[in-house]
Amino acid sequence: TLYQIEATVDLCWGVSVGTLGGFIEKVDNLQGVAWVNVDSVICGDACVSGNAWIGDYAVIKDNAEVRDSAMVYGNAKVSGYSQVSNNAKVFYYADISGYAKVYDDASVSGYVKISERAKVYDKARLFGLAEVGGDVLIYGNVNINDQIKLDGYCSIDTPEKLAAWKAGRILAGAIAGRQLVGGANGGNTNSPIGLQPETGNICSFCNLMLGPGRTCEHTDFIVCECGAEKTGSPGHSHWC
């Protein structure tokens, strides 16, 4: 059962005594001087607190938290164990779920989906059709307005890193499909693309295959093309 709220004191956001607000399932859903506007819903064990504002048709549910001076509005949804805090804004049709966090002065809008353990913070802005999951970190002054999917382990805080990630994904996809011919074959005549996996460096940041003996500025460990971490074992010398 949902219950409509009514302001009993003057609050921030221009809310005065007697103003009818949105709907909550229980008293614990709304704390501090936070406000949920008409047509918005807070349900489950979700909690909106501090000076937070929920507006339009936004839904906060499950165990999600919206606190501090954060704003969630439009048709946005915040669910799971996700958190929106500080001065962050989530709006339009953005969807925050899982254990994702959006905080500081970050802004997430459009049809963007943030899930799993991803974090968006600082002054990062995401809009468009982006999907962010895994343990991805997006921060700095990065603006992402692409139909792009970011997952796994990566950290993006500059346009250059975003460009490197995109380039790496395209190239890695082509290599996985055996569509490239690159590098010296190192005597491996059985290699269908002329590149031995042991000597091919894959950057864990941008997933870029660099060729025998080469590295990029992001490389912090080396793996075989099959995905196994390269340990130097002479037994790990197959073509996948």
Side-chain angles (χ1 to χ4, degrees), residues 22 35 38 56 79 81 90 92 96 121 129-130 133 140 153 175 191 197 212 237:
W35 182 250
V38 177
D56 300 323
S79 62
Y81 288 86
V90 175
Y92 203 59
I96 316 298
Y121 55 103
L129 297 169
Y153 295 86
I175 289 174
S191 170
S237 60

Side-chain angles (χ1 to χ4, degrees), residues 75-118:
N75 288 277
K77 294 181 181 179
V78 182
S79 62
Y81 288 86
S82 60
Q83 298 177 9
V84 181
S85 60
N86 302 131
N87 296 301
K89 295 181 180 179
V90 175
F91 56 103
Y92 203 59
Y93 284 89
D95 189 336
I96 316 298
S97 63
Y99 289 86
K101 295 182 179 181
V102 181
Y103 54 102
D104 291 337
D105 295 301
S107 173
V108 179
S109 61
Y111 292 88
V112 172
K113 295 182 179 180
I114 312 292
S115 62
E116 298 180 298
R117 295 163 301 282

Side-chain angles (χ1 to χ4, degrees), residues 28-52:
D28 291 341
N29 290 146
L30 195 62
Q31 300 179 7
V33 291
W35 182 250
V36 52
N37 219 17
V38 177
D39 295 323
S40 297
V41 174
I42 309 172
C43 59
D45 291 317
C47 181
V48 176
S49 61
N51 294 304

Side-chain angles (χ1 to χ4, degrees), residues 14-224:
V15 177
S16 57
V17 175
T19 300
L20 291 178
F23 296 83
I24 64 174
E25 186 173 339
K26 53 189 176 183
V27 173
D28 291 341
N29 290 146
L30 195 62
Q31 300 179 7
V33 291
W35 182 250
V36 52
N37 219 17
V38 177
D39 295 323
S40 297
V41 174
I42 309 172
C43 59
D45 291 317
C47 181
V48 176
S49 61
N51 294 304
W53 182 76
I54 312 300
D56 300 323
Y57 298 92
V59 175
I60 316 299
K61 62 180 183 178
D62 301 330
N63 292 277
E65 293 182 34
V66 180
R67 61 176 186 265
D68 304 322
S69 296
M71 300 174 66
V72 180
Y73 54 101
N75 288 277
K77 294 181 181 179
V78 182
S79 62
Y81 288 86
S82 60
Q83 298 177 9
V84 181
S85 60
N86 302 131
N87 296 301
K89 295 181 180 179
V90 175
F91 56 103
Y92 203 59
Y93 284 89
D95 189 336
I96 316 298
S97 63
Y99 289 86
K101 295 182 179 181
V102 181
Y103 54 102
D104 291 337
D105 295 301
S107 173
V108 179
S109 61
Y111 292 88
V112 172
K113 295 182 179 180
I114 312 292
S115 62
E116 298 180 298
R117 295 163 301 282
K119 296 180 181 179
V120 181
Y121 55 103
D122 279 347
K123 297 183 182 296
R125 295 178 63 229
L126 279 75
F127 43 108
L129 297 169
E131 294 185 25
V132 181
D135 292 276
V136 173
L137 304 178
I138 299 178
Y139 56 106
N141 289 293
V142 172
N143 291 333
I144 297 179
N145 181 21
D146 297 280
Q147 187 173 353
I148 187 174
K149 185 173 183 179
L150 298 162
D151 55 18
Y153 295 86
C154 81
S155 176
I156 296 176
D157 64 341
T158 64
E160 291 75 19
K161 284 188 178 181
L162 178 61
W165 192 95
K166 291 178 182 178
R169 278 297 185 186
I170 294 170
L171 186 55
I175 289 174
R178 302 296 187 267
Q179 297 171 357
L180 295 183
V181 176
N185 65 15
N188 184 356
T189 57
N190 294 321
S191 170
I193 61 171
L195 185 65
Q196 284 185 309
E198 279 74 43
T199 54
N201 298 340
I202 300 178
C203 172
S204 64
F205 174 82
C206 62
N207 293 321
L208 186 63
M209 174 70 83
L210 297 159
R214 297 177 58 193
T215 61
C216 74
E217 60 178 327
H218 311 118
T219 304
D220 55 8
F221 68 85
I222 308 301
V223 297
C224 172

